[in-house]
Amino acid sequence: MKNFFTLFFVFLLTMGFVSQSFAQIRGTITDAGDGSPLPGVNIVVKGTTVGTTTGADGTYTINATSGQTLVFTYVGYLAQEVSVGASTTIDVSLESDTRILEDVVVVGYGEQDKKDVTGAITTVSAKDFNGGVITSPEQLIQGRAAGVQITSSSGEPGAGINVRIRGTSSIRNGNNPLFVVDGVPLSGDDVSAGGSTPLGNSSPRNPLNFLNPNDIADITVLKDASATAIYGSRGANGVVLVTTKSGKGGKGTLTYNSEVSVSTISKRYDLLGREAFLDAYEALNSAAARAQLDQGADTDWQDEIFRTAISHNHNISFGAGDATGNYRFSVGYLDQQGIIDESGLKRFTARFNGNKKFIKDRLTISTQMTISDIRDLNVPVTNNAGFEGDLLAGVLKFRPSNPVFDINDADNDGNTEEFYQPNVTEPNPRAYLALSEDVTKTIRALGNISAELVIAKGFAFKTVLGLDRSFSSRKGAFSRDLIAGNDVTGSGRLFLTDIQIDNRLWENYFTYNETFGKLEFSGLLGYSYQSFVNEGKYNTYLNFQTSDLDLMINNYASAALSGGGNSYRNADELQSFFGRFVLNFSEKYIFTGTLRSDGSTRFGSGNQYGYFPSFAFKWRIGDESFAPDLFSDLSLRLGYGITGNQEIPRNQYDRRQRYGDRNVNNAGTFSGGGLGVISFQNPDLKWESTTQFGVGIDFGFLNNRLTGAIDYYYKNTNDLLVQIQSAQPAAQPFVWTNLDADIVNTGVELSLNFIAIDQADFTWNILGNVAYNKNEVKNFGGLINTGEINGQGLTGAFAQRIAEGQPLYAFFLREFGGFDSEGNSIYPNGDVQVFTGDSPLPTVTAGLTNTFTYKGWDLSFFFTGLFGHSIYSNNENAFFTAGALANGRNVTTKVVGNGEGGLNAPDVSTRFVQKGDFVRLQNANLGYNVKLGSNSSVTSLRFYINAQNLFVITGYDGQDPEVNTNKSLNGVPSAGIDYTAYPRARTFTFGVNIGF
């Protein structure tokens, strides 16, 4: 018995020791950002092989000794270590790895620690993107980066967007930056079929619409030459690097996002109603004329075409990852209605990102692929409709006393359901929509596959194959029942446009990283080959025997070919050699040098190759012993470099021909045709180049609660590529040449980020940027006119001129001095046109974001603004004059009683120039993250509401000051002209994000 008690005592002591030494630890692992449980987290007792993983609800159980350390690791999150104490419950919140990724930025052909970056670079991550109905990546960062101006040409779904980084540097259209998606540089070509319609030219849609914004992880803007020179001939206007999302997290994460949006027109024109119009018309004419004009109706034509648009957006993704790789699948569907009836955009996208490591992690195979199917529903809105106008022109000028339908049966055919269409110069807007159909279908695929092999420690080789292919077709039909121009009325008209783009990339480069004492060296050496093929065709048909639009579009072979048809195929290649080195001394003195040599078939043999070097230096002053304690971060950056621009039509250095149009004459036989010259020989044509110098200071205060950067830059662009019209008679109508002139942009940028409040339950963050830019043409002895103005009696009129000492596209106009006693315009300088001092290019851009969080709630407001520029209202010039009213066309209320006479000629003048300054509440977002139980199958749940374009503060009396209709003249683009632009919408979006 004694032995029994002895053994029992020993047993109790042993069990007490075991229970004290190997306690069973339990807990839940959650995401520190939204509190959602994390499945598949690895937990290991440090220094042992004991380990486990969390379940689907984020919980775990493990045996550990008091005093031991548990290590928690999860792909995409920061590792965390916790010592085991007396408690048997250890809950851990893991912070997303994006918090340290914010200290790593994407640069050309790699990544760098943010503290070591020598160039002017801005990165915007997904959490800071603009929300709401977003169709292309640029809209995500509008107003978010200092010195980056992003302007939509109109409010049409999928409309083209102009991006200007540190000013406008080129006369030609090549002012947009180079876009690089997951390492593949895009060609910059228009991939959707635009084309000429019976009403005028219409612009193609934004070529970046194929990317689903929900798939984008971050966007990095390379602004100065030291950052962009690695892209050489295409870096003059900056580079935008788009990085898409990758998979993360153990067993995988399934997410679903759904949005419903409601859009309405943000501002209507203050047009005259029925009685006000008839009274004003009578005052300029007579009571008898009024009686003849009155058709007995009271129609608001804006009500007839504008609608409340309902849009849907749905996205599903699944991703997973571990130490050897990750993957992510996603599909998305967007159905965006336009605020003009019948208009809209439908897009389906599918994407896969994946990478996997082999050979003991020395070989990494990666691929990114996306495919999109886009359908643009177009309406008859053009850039350069004549005084007869397009759909929106009809809305502005068609009389409110006109009915929608011909209820009086004016043509005596017994049908009172026909549209009221008085003549070809006064189109019925509702008839435009009902008797036309215009659809563009675009399929685009972008993908790459890469292999990176670690040859030795710090030494690696990477090869990349990329492909960007698109197919786009546009079919536009106008019924013969539509009375709108001689080419349509009684005949009908169909135009067909097809475009194919094939862009192929092969890149190979070596990287080497090594540390020699206090010196860190990073090197890059590579070769790139990219080919571009662009082909298409255009045909028009008329003399249809049917009014049925579907039959016209699908059975057009029975119509006569007229108005011509043509086809083309252009191909060019770009071969490049590039290199970069980075020297980091003591992590305080950092030198970067790059050189790229580009050879392009767009230029003659003597000038095919261009050389684009850059040098940069960064001094981390804050790490010096003498640095003031006031600063938590302080760095000085210096940069200099040369970049290029080759964005001109292909094969312009050589003489080229193509087969001309074939027409159908009245006898029904073909006529015309033959070879026509489309370019003329100039073997001396060469690169347009931009030299840029910049200095910047990065700073931080209050332990980096206040951080920011201030930059100064000087950009000089020369050898400007331009198409010059030859004085006639001449052997050739035009020639492409390098203009002997400089375009200089100088500016200052300031970015600030202030964490105003940082409490456990409440935070307030302020993010702001402001930039000043001055644009000037120097050393130019010639004159180039642009900015075509349309309207009755305005044939050949223009409003802008490029000249020495002026900003690009400066307004060149008669000075308007009011009206005389007869109601005619007074021009103090006579018929002489002069530079008015007004520029369409903003001098100041700004953005301000306030973000608040309180427990599960978050709220943000984003304001953006442009200042120092002017807008020419071609709408007012063409439609809103007393002469238009006297001729029986509707006008705005401000025309009545303004002193203008009914016989006054509305010549192009300063009368129609207005300041374009504005401040817009671009985005407001309110969201709530639902706190879920540990046993919930739903790992995250968020509801939110977003508002876009809530209000605009501006003195411009048009529909919106952010407008830029393409009013080019002789191939030279314009800026800041407003003419029948698709109106901008105010949108409210309701959404939910669910994670499983």
Side-chain angles (χ1 to χ4, degrees), residues 276-491:
F277 165 74
L278 292 173
D279 289 345
Y281 177 75
E282 180 180 347
L284 292 173
N285 292 279
S286 65
R290 170 182 177 143
Q292 279 190 328
L293 202 70
D294 187 2
Q295 297 297 316
D298 185 4
T299 309
D300 186 328
W301 292 104
Q302 294 184 93
D303 282 345
E304 290 297 323
I305 73 161
F306 294 128
R307 66 179 176 184
T308 297
I310 308 297
S311 303
H312 300 268
N313 190 16
H314 304 276
N315 297 279
I316 300 175
S317 66
F318 180 80
D322 57 27
T324 64
N326 60 68
Y327 63 90
R328 181 179 184 270
F329 295 95
S330 69
V331 293
Y333 176 71
L334 170 67
D335 182 356
Q336 181 185 0
Q337 284 189 345
I339 56 173
I340 293 181
D341 202 13
E342 307 293 339
S343 67
L345 179 151
K346 296 182 180 181
R347 177 182 65 200
F348 173 80
T349 60
R351 185 167 186 87
F352 172 74
N353 282 11
N355 65 77
K356 185 69 175 178
K357 294 181 178 180
F358 303 91
I359 316 176
K360 298 182 179 180
D361 295 346
R362 292 179 57 191
L363 175 64
T364 303
I365 305 294
S366 302
T367 186
Q368 291 91 26
M369 296 181 293
T370 187
I371 187 168
S372 65
D373 185 350
I374 302 173
R375 175 171 294 193
D376 294 305
L377 307 177
N378 311 305
V379 289
V381 176
T382 66
N383 300 320
N384 58 344
F387 80 93
E388 300 94 339
D390 57 8
L391 171 66
L392 291 173
V395 170
L396 299 179
K397 68 176 185 171
F398 208 45
R399 296 189 288 267
S401 58
N402 287 340
V404 177
F405 296 99
D406 186 12
I407 56 177
N408 296 320
D409 192 19
D411 56 2
N412 297 313
D413 66 351
N415 186 357
T416 59
E417 296 299 319
E418 295 174 335
F419 287 102
Y420 176 73
Q421 302 182 82
N423 52 63
V424 295
T425 62
E426 302 300 326
N428 181 326
R430 197 62 235 178
Y432 260 144
L433 289 178
L435 301 178
S436 68
E437 184 174 335
D438 187 354
V439 179
T440 303
K441 299 178 181 179
T442 304
I443 295 178
R444 188 171 187 180
L446 173 72
N448 72 80
I449 184 169
S450 66
E452 183 172 17
L453 177 65
V454 178
I455 301 172
K457 182 180 179 181
F459 183 47
F461 170 75
K462 186 172 185 177
T463 184
V464 180
L465 291 173
L467 176 67
D468 180 9
R469 295 207 69 185
S470 63
F471 307 86
S472 182
S473 65
R474 180 177 181 181
K475 294 182 178 181
F478 292 82
S479 170
R480 66 180 185 175
D481 293 338
L482 178 65
I483 299 178
N486 295 326
D487 289 340
V488 174
T489 304
S491 165

Side-chain angles (χ1 to χ4, degrees), residues 139-166:
Q139 295 172 289
L140 295 170
I141 63 171
Q142 185 177 19
R144 302 287 183 174
V148 180
Q149 179 194 344
I150 300 174
T151 305
S152 176
S153 58
S154 75
E156 187 173 17
I161 291 181
N162 298 311
V163 181
R164 300 293 180 261
I165 298 175
R166 294 187 165 182

Side-chain angles (χ1 to χ4, degrees), residues 682-704:
N682 181 4
D684 297 325
L685 194 66
K686 61 182 179 180
W687 307 90
E688 181 177 291
S689 62
T690 297
T691 302
Q692 184 173 178
F693 167 77
V695 56
I697 297 175
D698 302 320
F699 55 84
F701 300 96
L702 305 175
N703 196 27
N704 280 347

Side-chain angles (χ1 to χ4, degrees), residues 881-903:
T881 65
L885 177 60
N887 284 319
R889 303 183 185 110
N890 203 9
V891 295
T892 56
T893 56
K894 81 171 191 176
V895 174
V896 180
N898 68 356
E900 184 182 13
L903 298 177

